[in-house]
Amino acid sequence: RRRGLGERVRFIRGRDTRFLMPALDGLLLTSAYEGMPYVLLEAFAAGVPVVSAPTPGLGEWLGGEGLALVAEAPTPEALAAALLQAQQDPHRRASLRARGRAWTEERNLERMFRETLSLYRSLPARSALAP
């Protein structure tokens, strides 16, 4: 508010993001180190376009899969440039939304169950492993 952003930015605390996520224009992931954060999965599922810092491992994967627009550097200037690029390119935003949604739809609970069951079925029977 002190910087005059009150009309453009909302700081919301203590809310369940699942209900707020679909209202976002985008998600900025600025982590220096990260595995697979839930907020990223929630953004994908809600169709929110993601802009990410070039976090080691995660940044390369996100960019390679077309799931996020990855900044060239982890600097405020590079992140701002990536945000601006995403904001000004409606086709890029639409692609990020679609890729994120498709990625989460492919990795649902039913698929996890099928793949886990398939793995268990591919293992040798216990008696075959016994001495």
Side-chain angles (χ1 to χ4, degrees), residues 18 20 25-26 36 38 52 54 56 60 66 71 75 79 89 92 102 109 120-121 125-128:
R18 289 176 298 163
L20 299 173
D25 294 325
M36 178 59 85
Y38 284 125
S52 176
E60 292 99 7
T75 63
L79 288 165
D89 187 344
R92 186 66 166 284
L109 184 60
Y120 288 160
R121 287 181 174 157
R126 182 180 176 136
S127 60

Side-chain angles (χ1 to χ4, degrees), residues 50-120:
V50 175
V51 173
S52 176
T55 307
L58 182 61
E60 292 99 7
W61 175 75
L62 288 170
E65 293 291 320
L67 294 168
L69 179 57
V70 180
E72 292 182 16
T75 63
E77 296 80 12
L79 288 165
L83 276 173
L84 190 58
Q85 182 183 354
Q87 190 259 341
Q88 292 176 341
D89 187 344
H91 297 292
R92 186 66 166 284
R93 282 194 318 276
S95 174
L96 293 172
R97 283 187 179 103
R99 303 261 318 165
R101 279 190 178 133
W103 190 87
T104 55
E105 287 171 5
E106 291 170 6
R107 286 149 187 87
N108 59 31
L109 184 60
E110 184 178 319
R111 177 181 173 185
M112 183 180 72
F113 174 78
R114 279 194 321 269
E115 289 179 0
T116 302
L117 186 58
S118 176
L119 173 66
Y120 288 160

Side-chain angles (χ1 to χ4, degrees), residues 2-82:
R2 288 189 312 259
R3 297 186 185 266
L5 298 174
E7 297 298 317
R8 299 182 66 179
V9 176
R10 305 223 180 192
F11 295 95
I12 302 171
R13 295 182 181 165
R15 302 272 172 104
D16 188 340
T17 60
R18 289 176 298 163
F19 303 109
L20 299 173
M21 191 66 71
L24 298 180
D25 294 325
L27 175 77
L28 177 61
L29 187 66
T30 62
S31 303
Y33 302 98
E34 195 67 75
M36 178 59 85
Y38 284 125
V39 69
L40 188 59
L41 302 176
E42 291 170 348
F44 290 163
V48 174
V50 175
V51 173
S52 176
T55 307
L58 182 61
E60 292 99 7
W61 175 75
L62 288 170
E65 293 291 320
L67 294 168
L69 179 57
V70 180
E72 292 182 16
T75 63
E77 296 80 12
L79 288 165

